[in-house]
Every structure is written in C-alpha cells, then in structure tokens.
Amino acid sequence: MNDRLIFQIPYLEKGKQILPTVPNEISSIEINIPDNLKRKKAPELPQISEPQLIRHYNKLSKKNFGVDTGFYPLGSCTMKYNPKINEEISRLENFVNIHPYQDEEDIQGALQLMYELDVLLCEITGMDKFTLQPSAGAHGELTGLFIIDAYHREKGNKRKNIIIPDSAHGTNPASVTMAGYNAVAVDSDENGKVDLKKLNELLDKETAGLMLTNPNTLGFFDENILKISKMVHDVGGLVYYDGANLNAIMTISKPRDMGFDIVHLNLHKTFSTPHGGGGPGSGPIGVTKELSKFLLIPTVELNNKGRYYLNYDKKDSIGKVKAFYGNFNVLIKAYSYILSLGAKGLKRASQLAVLNANYLKKHLSKYYHIPYPEICMHEFVISAIWQKEKGIRALDIAKRLMDFGFHPPTIYFPLIINEAIMIEPTETENKETLDMFIKAMIQIAKESDKNPEILKSAPHKTQIKRLDEAKAARDLILKYEYK
Amino acid sequence: MDYTPHSNKEIKEMLSFLGIKFLKDLYNNIPDKIKQKKELKLPEPLSEIELLGRLKFISKKNISTDNRISFLGAGNYDHFIPSVVNYIISKPEFYTAYTPYQSELSQGILQSMFEYQTMMCELTGMDISNISLYDGATSVAEAANMAISINKKKKILISETIHPEYRQVLKTYMKPRKIEVFEIPMKEGITDKGQIKENLIDESSCLIIPQPNFFGNLEPIDEIFPILSGSNTLAIACVNPLSLALLKPPADFGADIVVGDGQILGNPQSFGGPSFGFLTCKKKYLRKTPGRIVGQTVDSAGNIGYVLTLQTREQHIRREKATSNICSNQSLNVLAACVYLSYVGRDGLYEIAELCYRNAHYLFQKLVAIKGINPTFNSKFFNEFVVYIDLDSTELKKILSKKGILGPICLEEWYPSLKKRYLFAVTEKRTKDEMDLLIDTLNKALKVK
C-alpha cells in the first residue's frame, strides 16, 4: 500500500496566492540579472493545493512511529517522553523571532537562558564551564577533540592517539579521525568493562586522550573509572566523557568526580528534547577550568551589572563549530525540563530508568542469552544466539516486535556482542507497558521454536512489509525522475 | 513535576522481583568515593503553571523581530513561514521519532526525505542530495572534507566574500589536521578571480565560492568555476536556496558540490539555530558524501518503500573510516523545508524570490539617492546589499531603534576596511511603508547632519 510521491499529485495550473499585492513602484522594478547567471528553466517543484498537501503529509505521518505512538526501547538513544509544555514554551514568539545579530540589550532573555543552562549543566556534571554551540553528540565529540588537540599543541606536541573501548559508539572513532588522531581500540574484559591491563599496554607519550561512555554501551558502570582516568592522566592525556548514557546517573554521580576533563551531553537524550526523526539535537561540551580558555566563541557571560553578554575576547579559543550560538530552540526545552524536574525529579528519572531496565532484563533472561547477567544501569544487551541456532536473527526479532505495536530495540550494536539486541526502556514507561513487552518477547522466543517462518517474514501488521535494503543499495534510486 | 508513571506499590513489586530493597541499591556498583553525597544545588521543581510563567517572563526580555521592522540578515533571515509548516512538523509521529533505522515504521520520514532529496537536486541541478548537515557553515566544512578525501590535497581555497563565521568554522575544522585554508581576497565586493592562480589551483583540493556572497553580491561564478577546468580541484558553491529560483543552478557552471543553509526554507530565525545545511553533488562522489541518504526499494510484497541506504559510508558501520562523524542531523528542519517548498511550489518560490529582489532594489535605489549614503560596490545583488552611510554604527542604531527599525549590520568588525559600510537584508515580508519609514528616517537624520 504505497502512497504516491508529492510529485505525482497533479499540479495546479498556476501557483496559489502567497504574497500580498505590492504597489506599482515595487512591482515595476525589473529583475536585472546578467544573462549568464539567469535561470532559464524553473526547478520542478510540486504545485498543489493546501488541502492536498495536508492530506499527503498526514498520510505520511500515519506511516511513522514516534514515542507518542508507543514504546520505543531503542538502546543508546534514550527515547523518553517529550513533555508538551516544553514544546509550547519553545514556540513563544520572543524565542522564535529573534535574530542572532540583534543588540545584546534586545536579547537578554536568550542570553540569560543560555547562561543559566550552562550553570545547571555544570552542577549536574561537576564541570566548570560549558559551550552550547555543538548541534549534536557527534558534533560535541568533535569539539572536545579539537580542545584536546589545542591543549596538547600548547604543550608542544599534538600527540597521535585517542584510545576508545571496542564497545564505543561509532561516532567516537569517526570524530577522532576528523580531528586528525588515530583511533586505538582497547578491548573490553570478560565483564564488558575496560581491560586495565590492555589499557596499560596502549598508554604512552603519544596518548592524547581516552574517550569513554560511562555507563558504557553494554549498560555497565565501569567501577574502575578512577583508576582509568588516573592512568590516562599519568601519561599526560585527557579523559573525555561521552554523555550518551548520563540518563542512568543524574544526581547520583558526576563525571567530573570520576576524573573526566571534557564532557559532552546529548540534550535530545538525557534532557527530553525530541529527536525530530533524526534531529535537531544539541551536544553541549563542558570542561574543567584549566581547559575553559579553549572553549568555542562566543561564551555567554554575566557582568557585574547583571547584564548578560557574548564574550568573543578569548585568544586561545579553538574558534567556532557552527554559525551563531547553537540550536537555541533545543536549549529552551532542555532548560525547561531541568527546571520542571529539579534535583529530586532528575534523581527519580535516573533511578526509575535503571529499575525499568533491570526489571526487563531479569524477565527476559529465561528466554534469551544475557552475556552479562549482573545488575545493569539504564540499558542492557541481550543476544539472539540461542535463536540463531534455529536460523532466527536479531533482525527477525526486531521486525516481529513491530507486529506487537512496539518499536524495536537497537540491533547489532555494540559490535562486541553477537546478534546484539540493546534495550533501553527509559523512566517514562510504566510497569504495564514493560509487562506487555516482556509478553511479546516471550512469545517471539517461543515462535522461534515452533513457527520460525512468522519471524523471518515479519513484520506482518505494518502498512509496509519487510523492505529490501540490498536492492536499495544496488539500484541507487535516490530521487524521483520526472518523465 | 516529573514524567515517571510508577506508583510506590509498583516500584516495591519491581524491586522485590529483583531481590533488592531500595532504589539506591541499584547503584551499589558505583564506588562510594564518586557517589554524590549531597543533593545537587538546583532550583526546586516547578509546576507547569510556574514554568510557563517563568519562561514567558524570560522570553519577554527579548525583543521579537515581529515587533520591529527588521533588515537583519547575514545568514539568518526573517522570511514568511506558511502555517502548514508548523502544523506538519508538530505531528507527534514525526517529531517524537528517532532516525529512521527501522524503515518499516519510518516510511513517513523516509518518503519525505526522498522527496526533499529530489527537490534539492532540482534546485541545485545536481545528481544526488544527502538529508542534511548541521547548518550552512558545517556544510562548507563537510564539503571541504569530502574534497580532501577525493583528491587527497591539503589546501583549501575559499573566497573572502563568504560569511566570516563560515570561514571561521572551516578553519576550526581544518587546523588539527594541518590543512591550510587559503582565503582568496575580494575586489569590489566579489571574489578577485585574478588571484586564483594556476599554482594555487594545482595544490588545492577545492575552491569554495558563495552565491550570492556575504554582501548579497552575485559572484561571476560563470567565469570563476571554468578556471578550474583541467584540474582535479573541486568546485564548491555555497548558495542561498531561494536565490536559485532566479539564478542558474551551480551545476550549469560545473560545480562538483553545492552546499548552503536551509533556514530560509520554512525555518524561523530562532536566534540562529536550529537550521540545516544541505549538500548536493555529482553522482560520482556518492560514496564520499557525509550524512544520510534515502533510497527507494520494495517490500516483500512488491510495494514501493524507502530505506536509509549506503550506510556503509557512515560512522555506525565504518567507524574511523567513515566519510563523516555525523549521526543526529537536522531532520525536522528538513521536513519543514520540504513542506515549505511543496506549499509555495514552483511558481510561489519564484514569486517570493522576485519580491525579495524587488524590495531590496527599491530600498537600495531610494537609499543611495540620499546625500550621505553611497553604494559601496558596483555588483548586481539579490536581496542583500551594502551601502556607505555617513553615520557611525552607534549613532545609526540609536536613530533607527527609535523608529522600531532593526539592522542593518555594521561590517567593520569583520572587514576592517569597510568602515561605515552597512549590510541590509530585505525579505518578502517588508512592506513599502516599512521601507519608506527607514528611508525617511535616514533622510532626516543625514539632513540634520
């Protein structure tokens, strides 16, 4: 049941009226563009009525699944509920219609919000100063690595390597390459944590730093973190915190206290701003006092007269990673979220995220292989190797879950687990939902014995059936071809 | 106020199922030494009533451009946004979804992005499009990275006429890898093409030219890009997508990659973010492109559907060998652009571009007729222009703000030689009355002088 593309809806003869009628003095002005530069053939854009347009996108929205549709336990993505009040606030006229180059006097509210968000994030992480400029987690990583580069250059040697656990997000090594470093993988030990012996072998004078997610992508808090950060510091390296999993430990433990020098946060994960179908996000970077001189320009500061201002006067700054100041609209929602919850609410959110994960994990342990059975943090990884013996893959289980009305978990990540299924329920799901999910997972485990075909051909209840990804990569149809 | 649905009874049941007494026992694994002992110093939790009140109060310390007459531009613009845009992007199935990895549940986003790719290819004349980068500035940096990975050369040529913040971002991105960013100087407000010398081209990976440029001027891109022919140096154009309704697509001049900022297409100013960056290019560079790409395929029943494709370029598969580190991008802003372009349509986009052009030229002609205001450059422009005004910026701001007028932007800070030169942006939203008020105000102010 496929819908036609917007280009296949019959075009109106003439465009609808969009603009006001303008006085003759303006409409008579000739468009005087040099012939060589002038467009001769209009781009083929759709030309349809408003009701048709709305129906088109309404149909499309019905073929999409969001947190507001149902349970979305996508590991590592923290798909928690996105509070509606924060959406409303972010649309306040005086937040939406402000220009980045207005006078500081005219944007005191925006600057205040950014300044205060910085202070709140410092308190939550223990860092001394944040920049809110990066647009996403990976953008924050890149910024953090640029700071590591600047720090070592100042000391006279950029150094060569950044160490990353083999369980890390793919963005970590990709960011490392973009910052001109070599990504060196350190193996995980038998408990899924950094292997200290292996780490020790890798550390030397060319180690610029180490990037670590804690809790890690397997869902475990690395209790050796103080040892790890000391080992890196001892060879002169810096320790970088990938904040993708902060949702487990808000108010419980601060990254700074674990020895981290640079921290990125994902406001679109931990602080409830919506993922928007893949963005916009926001990936602020927090650093220690020692590193704050390298932060992006401008920073937002408060002077002794109670006025907020943009500070460009930072000679050691690494510069800028995007135009203007950051994804401001996203910052508003994160700020509102923190003010709604307060310290108590943040603690409860973390605790219940961890409770939900452990409740699911223990229930599923009878039916699925659990590589690491101990108490986890906010997420955990199961493996479909028992099912694989019967020809069922993690992918089949994921697709079958759609038939029960759930969005599948993350699959095939982390790479160190065979047939990985990574589940993160978040704190905003109730026990009833978790119980229904458990029931579905148990039924799927049973189906893999008795009726494997139903899994291999899943999903059955979605509007579109299993899609052929190999064909897409082979045919490479990447746009509509006008006849 | 928090959003957790658990009753105390449920929490107890769940804990006892786990064989644990208290919630805090879930954290026994965290060493005491790094456990937070005191409660964090955060404000007391607010109810929805209090929160809305507080944030409204803060927001009112900003002055909305809607309550003023704005001529501010320079990469962020006050264009009209049809109400259908917010209606569609507020649909929860769109805005509360994640990246469409699970295609069977993400056909809405995927098909929209496929439609967007088509529209951007139409606008720019290129073969393929990705589904967004963070903004215009990072799209320039990513395009430069792409060029470097294609021809392995370690120098980038960029015109001095591109947005100063874009150049700054490019330098920040390139410095750690010791890639030289060489700025081609300008001459009378456009790129001095005489400075694009053969030896420079030979050692450079790419040449990046804005169109229109930071001053609004039209670059002679038809003369500049052909200079590169015969070399393997990539031609990269950074364009204003609205101007492409009037201007020949960069593909016609031999562009290899076309990038730019998409805020203009249905996204509010929002203090400069979020917007999105677009990137289109020749098909032969497909495997070098950063970011996500949607492809068409079929499902097991033979129905047409859409998936993320060529993911082997991306960080989650290729890790340190990926074409870029980008993961989260700006999808919802792209959806806004998609709805915007579908709504205004082929004729509408042309009419909007035309009115921006006409408004800007009306204002320009009236302003330069005033004694004390002179044109700065001789070039043709689109909807931004630079004039000399015989007033210093503080004085000018004071005079205009009394009349509720915002802008123009003083260029001296970025280009020290451009003293008392001011950049005006004029969109389709500005009326003749509003422009006449500006003209009248400056006329009076300069007469007194």
Side-chain angles (χ1 to χ4, degrees):
Chain A
M1 211 199 89
N2 58 297
D3 285 323
R4 56 186 174 177
L5 288 161
I6 200 155
F7 313 107
Q8 295 166 313
I9 300 173
Y11 283 18
L12 300 171
E13 213 170 276
K14 202 174 157 292
K16 44 192 164 301
Q17 189 194 350
I18 291 163
L19 299 168
T21 313
V22 293
N24 195 36
E25 260 183 289
I26 288 173
S27 64
S28 63
I29 289 175
E30 203 189 325
I31 307 284
N32 184 9
I33 288 170
D35 198 53
N36 276 351
L37 296 179
K38 195 170 177 176
R39 188 157 197 149
K40 305 285 167 12
K41 187 180 169 292
E44 277 292 340
L45 294 173
Q47 191 133 287
I48 58 177
S49 70
E50 183 172 327
Q52 278 180 307
L53 175 123
I54 293 296
R55 283 191 188 143
H56 177 76
Y57 286 108
N58 259 340
K59 263 191 211 161
L60 291 183
S61 80
K62 293 211 171 79
K63 294 168 135 191
N64 227 59
F65 189 103
V67 174
D68 287 1
T69 317
F71 187 39
Y72 211 127
L74 199 62
S76 220
C77 301
T78 314
M79 300 300 289
K80 58 169 78 176
Y81 175 69
N82 313 127
K84 302 309 156 208
I85 181 65
N86 300 347
E87 295 299 310
E88 183 181 333
I89 288 169
S90 76
R91 292 203 178 99
L92 290 172
E93 194 204 311
N94 294 34
F95 282 144
V96 172
N97 297 319
I98 47 174
H99 188 282
Y101 296 145
Q102 271 177 263
D103 265 4
E104 277 170 5
E105 277 309 298
D106 294 353
I107 49 171
Q108 282 295 305
L111 296 179
Q112 179 185 349
L113 188 144
M114 290 174 75
Y115 182 86
E116 288 182 1
L117 179 58
D118 179 348
V119 172
L120 295 170
L121 296 178
C122 283
E123 175 63 13
I124 291 166
T125 58
M127 308 315 285
D128 295 315
K129 184 75 184 164
F130 268 83
T131 173
L132 307 173
Q133 203 176 102
S135 298
H139 207 199
E141 290 171 16
L142 192 58
T143 308
L145 288 158
F146 290 162
I147 291 173
I148 292 177
D149 169 81
Y151 168 84
H152 288 299
R153 269 174 206 268
E154 191 185 59
K155 296 214 176 311
N157 177 12
K158 172 188 167 80
R159 302 190 170 204
K160 285 189 183 130
N161 303 322
I162 299 283
I163 299 173
I164 303 169
D166 55 3
S167 62
H169 298 110
T171 50
N172 288 183
S175 301
V176 166
T177 303
M178 283 177 83
Y181 282 113
N182 300 320
V184 178
V186 55
D187 295 339
S188 302
D189 66 12
E190 67 282 2
N191 300 313
K193 294 162 191 173
V194 174
D195 187 322
L196 295 183
K197 220 177 120 209
K198 295 258 170 70
L199 176 63
N200 198 36
E201 289 163 14
L202 294 174
L203 288 168
D204 60 25
K205 290 287 168 213
E206 287 301 336
T207 304
L210 169 123
M211 296 176 91
L212 196 70
T213 314
N214 197 24
N216 66 19
T217 59
L218 294 163
F220 295 115
F221 190 93
D222 202 320
E223 69 272 17
N224 292 323
I225 183 59
L226 279 177
K227 266 186 217 145
I228 294 169
S229 51
K230 184 169 184 304
M231 284 163 75
V232 178
H233 286 150
D234 283 349
V235 297
L238 295 174
V239 194
Y240 179 95
Y241 184 77
D242 175 334
N245 291 344
L246 186 78
N247 202 46
I249 55 164
M250 289 184 293
T251 79
I252 312 282
S253 183
K254 294 182 179 184
R256 179 74 186 120
D257 293 339
M258 304 174 206
F260 287 98
D261 305 287
I262 307 175
V263 167
H264 94 244
L265 301 177
N266 299 72
L267 300 187
H268 48 292
K269 294 178 179 178
T270 316
F271 298 99
S272 88
T273 77
H275 285 68
S282 177
I285 286 284
V287 296
T288 58
K289 203 167 181 185
E290 190 192 1
L291 297 176
S292 66
K293 65 177 183 175
F294 297 118
L295 282 177
L296 300 168
I297 47 172
T299 51
V300 184
E301 317 278 357
L302 177 63
N303 73 13
N304 53 17
K305 288 178 189 135
R307 306 307 282 175
Y308 299 92
Y309 67 100
L310 292 167
N311 183 11
Y312 286 89
D313 187 21
K314 292 172 71 77
K315 66 175 174 49
D316 296 312
S317 163
I318 56 164
K320 290 183 74 66
V321 295
K322 83 179 277 309
F324 315 121
Y325 323 117
N327 282 344
F328 179 65
N329 176 272
V330 179
L331 305 180
I332 301 167
K333 297 174 199 181
Y335 175 80
S336 299
Y337 179 75
I338 297 169
L339 289 195
S340 293
L341 270 69
K344 285 191 187 73
L346 291 177
K347 182 177 229 169
R348 184 174 161 93
S350 282
Q351 287 177 331
L352 294 180
V354 174
L355 179 66
N356 278 357
N358 280 289
Y359 181 76
L360 280 185
K361 184 177 181 179
K362 190 166 177 194
H363 270 291
L364 297 182
S365 63
K366 276 188 236 155
Y367 303 89
Y368 293 88
H369 173 61
I370 309 263
Y372 305 105
E374 68 265 38
I375 289 280
C376 64
M377 293 281 102
H378 65 304
E379 68 184 3
F380 61 99
V381 181
I382 65 176
S383 161
I385 47 167
W386 297 348
Q387 286 72 26
K388 203 181 179 186
E389 287 165 14
K390 298 157 214 157
I392 298 299
R393 297 171 300 157
L395 180 75
D396 302 317
I397 294 168
K399 299 298 179 196
R400 180 66 177 142
L401 271 169
M402 296 178 185
D403 289 335
F404 295 88
F406 299 118
H407 192 284
T410 298
I411 47 175
Y412 300 110
F413 183 80
L415 307 176
I416 56 172
I417 305 288
N418 251 326
E419 296 296 320
I421 300 178
M422 186 191 206
I423 303 173
E424 180 180 6
T426 85
E427 71 279 9
T428 54
E429 299 299 334
N430 62 11
K431 182 169 169 293
E432 183 194 21
T433 305
L434 303 181
D435 287 337
M436 285 183 340
F437 181 76
I438 292 161
K439 223 175 124 192
M441 286 295 282
I442 293 172
Q443 187 178 324
I444 290 170
K446 287 179 179 161
E447 283 172 351
S448 70
D449 283 329
K450 291 177 192 141
N451 190 4
E453 274 317 304
I454 202 168
L455 297 181
K456 287 182 191 167
S457 54
H460 304 278
K461 293 185 180 167
T462 48
Q463 290 190 46
I464 198 116
K465 305 299 175 252
R466 196 179 295 195
L467 285 153
D468 187 347
E469 295 196 5
K471 181 178 161 55
R474 212 168 43 239
D475 295 354
L476 293 175
I477 302 172
L478 307 176
K479 64 179 180 184
Y480 174 70
E481 296 295 340
Y482 289 91
K483 297 269 154 35
Chain B
M1 175 177 57
D2 73 41
Y3 299 92
T4 52
H6 306 63
S7 69
N8 283 337
K9 183 168 164 272
E10 282 169 339
I11 293 173
K12 270 189 196 139
E13 277 171 27
M14 291 166 82
L15 284 172
S16 89
F17 171 72
L18 295 172
I20 286 174
K21 210 156 179 202
F22 303 106
L23 282 169
K24 66 176 173 55
D25 299 339
L26 291 166
Y27 294 99
N28 284 345
N29 190 32
I30 299 184
D32 254 359
K33 213 173 157 188
I34 51 174
K35 250 188 207 156
Q36 186 59 24
K37 309 289 180 313
K38 289 178 288 192
E39 191 168 282
L40 295 191
K41 283 183 235 127
L42 298 177
E44 284 300 304
L46 299 181
S47 66
E48 194 166 311
I49 301 174
E50 294 164 300
L51 183 71
L52 186 60
R54 175 166 169 76
L55 271 289
K56 269 189 179 163
F57 177 75
I58 294 176
S59 84
K60 282 179 185 152
K61 297 183 190 177
N62 297 328
I63 289 180
S64 159
T65 54
D66 262 10
N67 290 324
R68 295 287 187 276
I69 302 165
S70 174
F71 295 96
L72 291 168
N76 185 274
Y77 302 90
D78 181 26
H79 285 289
F80 178 68
I81 301 173
S83 80
V84 291
V85 173
N86 272 328
Y87 174 80
I88 297 295
I89 66 167
S90 304
K91 290 195 150 293
E93 300 83 0
F94 285 136
Y95 87 83
T96 72
Y98 186 65
T99 301
Y101 289 128
Q102 294 291 340
S103 49
E104 293 84 358
L105 291 183
S106 314
Q107 284 301 297
I109 282 279
L110 286 163
Q111 185 178 324
S112 315
M113 296 297 133
F114 183 81
E115 292 174 351
Y116 161 81
Q117 288 174 184
T118 307
M119 293 184 208
M120 290 318 287
C121 289
E122 271 299 312
L123 274 176
T124 59
M126 305 304 282
D127 304 323
I128 54 164
S129 165
N130 79 358
I131 67 169
S132 84
L133 299 163
Y134 304 129
D135 72 349
T138 68
S139 73
V140 166
E142 290 275 10
N145 266 339
M146 211 176 134
I148 292 164
S149 87
I150 290 167
N151 58 26
K152 317 282 181 218
K153 294 196 273 186
K154 300 241 163 180
K155 183 186 234 171
I156 292 160
L157 305 181
I158 188 165
S159 172
E160 199 191 355
T161 64
I162 203 168
H163 197 305
E165 293 201 11
Y166 287 26
R167 273 180 281 144
Q168 207 167 9
V169 170
L170 182 67
K171 286 178 191 163
T172 302
Y173 267 65
M174 296 303 152
K175 191 178 171 193
R177 283 181 297 152
K178 296 202 173 97
I179 288 165
E180 187 191 347
V181 176
F182 185 91
E183 298 189 356
I184 306 285
M186 63 176 178
K187 197 174 166 186
E188 289 169 26
I190 54 172
T191 310
D192 183 359
K193 60 178 188 295
Q195 304 276 344
I196 309 171
K197 303 258 166 50
E198 207 171 313
N199 62 329
L200 260 188
I201 296 173
D202 283 347
E203 58 196 30
S204 298
S205 178
C206 59
L207 168 66
I208 304 167
I209 301 286
Q211 181 73 314
N213 69 26
F214 182 65
F215 310 114
N217 295 333
L218 298 184
E219 291 278 351
I221 189 170
D222 54 326
E223 295 166 17
I224 296 174
F225 279 173
I227 302 176
L228 302 181
S229 68
S231 74
N232 69 346
T233 303
L234 272 70
I236 300 175
C238 176
V239 301
N240 169 334
L242 178 60
S243 75
L244 290 176
L246 304 178
L247 299 178
K248 237 184 217 175
D252 291 12
F253 307 114
D256 292 290
I257 307 172
V258 180
V259 295
D261 192 274
Q263 181 260 328
I264 288 171
L265 306 174
N267 288 285
Q269 298 164 85
S270 192
F271 205 41
S275 69
F276 71 90
F278 53 86
L279 185 146
T280 62
C281 66
K282 289 181 176 165
K283 193 160 189 177
K284 63 175 171 183
Y285 303 129
L286 177 59
R287 281 166 213 282
K288 297 288 186 184
T289 50
R292 300 199 154 119
I293 295 174
V294 175
Q296 195 182 64
T297 186
V298 293
D299 73 359
S300 53
N303 295 308
I304 288 177
Y306 303 89
V307 296
L308 291 176
T309 195
L310 294 173
Q311 295 190 56
T312 47
R313 296 167 298 113
E314 292 190 61
Q315 48 74 27
H316 60 285
I317 312 237
R318 190 56 61 86
R319 298 175 79 83
E320 68 271 15
K321 294 198 173 64
T323 55
S324 166
N325 69 338
I326 192 166
C327 180
S328 279
N329 45 80
Q330 307 286 122
S331 291
L332 203 66
N333 305 96
V334 167
L335 182 63
C338 201
V339 178
Y340 176 85
L341 287 170
S342 307
Y343 178 83
V344 301
R346 185 186 56 202
D347 294 354
L349 192 75
Y350 182 79
E351 285 162 17
I352 293 165
E354 214 179 24
L355 185 55
C356 290
Y357 179 99
R358 288 197 167 119
N359 276 347
H361 284 74
Y362 171 79
L363 181 64
F364 175 77
Q365 284 158 16
K366 294 279 179 190
L367 285 179
V368 297
I370 297 171
K371 199 168 175 273
I373 302 184
N374 301 316
T376 299
F377 307 119
N378 239 334
S379 301
K380 301 269 188 268
F381 59 89
F382 171 49
N383 75 327
E384 284 180 280
F385 61 82
V386 180
V387 289
Y388 168 87
I389 303 177
D390 192 14
L391 290 167
D392 71 43
S393 66
T394 333
E395 218 177 338
L396 180 66
K397 254 176 206 165
K398 213 168 116 191
I399 292 163
L400 295 181
S401 77
K402 268 188 202 154
K403 298 286 178 182
I405 295 167
L406 288 178
I409 290 167
C410 176
L411 291 176
E412 191 183 337
E413 225 176 285
W414 283 314
Y415 299 88
S417 66
L418 296 178
K419 286 190 176 51
K420 293 190 181 177
R421 261 66 166 201
Y422 298 95
L423 177 68
F424 285 86
V426 195
T427 70
E428 74 284 2
K429 278 174 80 175
R430 294 290 74 80
T431 64
K432 180 168 177 295
D433 286 350
E434 290 173 339
M435 292 189 279
D436 287 344
L437 178 67
L438 171 69
I439 294 158
D440 189 49
T441 307
L442 286 177
N443 208 354
K444 281 182 187 145
L446 287 159
K447 233 178 224 160
V448 174
K449 224 179 149 180

